């Protein structure tokens, strides 16, 4: 339980009401760490559990926030697209006017 509170402390800047939710989500991460821990590995349990707890908390924020994440491959593809005209209505009117002048 102290490991969960320690990991949740990293997210202290959130609202106080959210802290209880963060601790509860951290407990789920602790339970998952307990299920996956093997004594045959020569690793301390806290070293094994903290990444699970923090990962579960980060997953909670990722799933409950409104932030839109654009994948890097789409960001890179978008940088190769031609820039749209600044004022497409004005550009269209200028093209139309130049066509009328030719006649």
């Amino acid at each position: 339980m102290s490991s969960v509170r320690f990991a949740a402390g990293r997210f202290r800047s959130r609202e106080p009401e959210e802290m209880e939710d963060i601790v509860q989500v951290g407990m789920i991460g602790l339970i998952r760490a307990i299920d996956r821990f093997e004594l045959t590995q020569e690793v301390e349990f806290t070293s094994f559990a903290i990444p699970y707890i923090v990962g579960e908390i980060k997953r909670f924020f990722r799933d409950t926030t409104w932030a839109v994440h654009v994948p890097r491959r789409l960001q890179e593809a978008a940088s190769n697209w031609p820039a749209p005209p600044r004022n497409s209505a004005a550009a269209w009117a200028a093209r139309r006017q130049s066509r009328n002048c030719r006649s």
Side-chain angles (χ1 to χ4, degrees):
M1 179 107 163
S2 62
S3 298
V4 173
R5 293 213 179 272
F6 170 76
R10 293 176 56 183
F11 303 94
R12 223 175 291 151
S13 63
R14 307 290 177 167
E15 296 178 21
E17 300 87 36
E18 276 190 342
M19 196 59 170
E20 185 177 328
D21 293 338
I22 294 170
V23 171
Q24 288 178 1
V25 170
M27 289 295 194
I28 293 170
L30 178 63
I31 292 169
R32 289 189 179 172
I34 291 169
D35 289 341
R36 291 183 173 95
F37 184 70
E38 295 178 12
L39 289 174
T40 57
Q41 297 176 348
E42 295 182 3
V43 178
E44 283 189 33
F45 178 72
T46 53
S47 300
F48 181 82
I50 293 293
Y52 275 93
I53 295 167
V54 172
E56 199 66 35
I57 293 170
K58 287 181 180 179
R59 188 175 300 116
F60 168 73
F61 286 126
R62 184 185 65 221
D63 294 344
T64 58
T65 59
W66 288 91
V68 176
H69 174 72
V70 179
R72 179 170 290 170
R73 65 182 176 80
L74 292 179
Q75 290 175 1
E76 291 171 354
S79 68
N80 296 331
W81 293 347
R86 292 194 141 220
N87 188 351
S88 58
W92 183 78
R95 269 188 267 137
R96 189 168 184 210
Q97 186 179 12
S98 67
R99 287 183 189 160
N100 290 339
C101 291
R102 291 183 199 161
S103 311

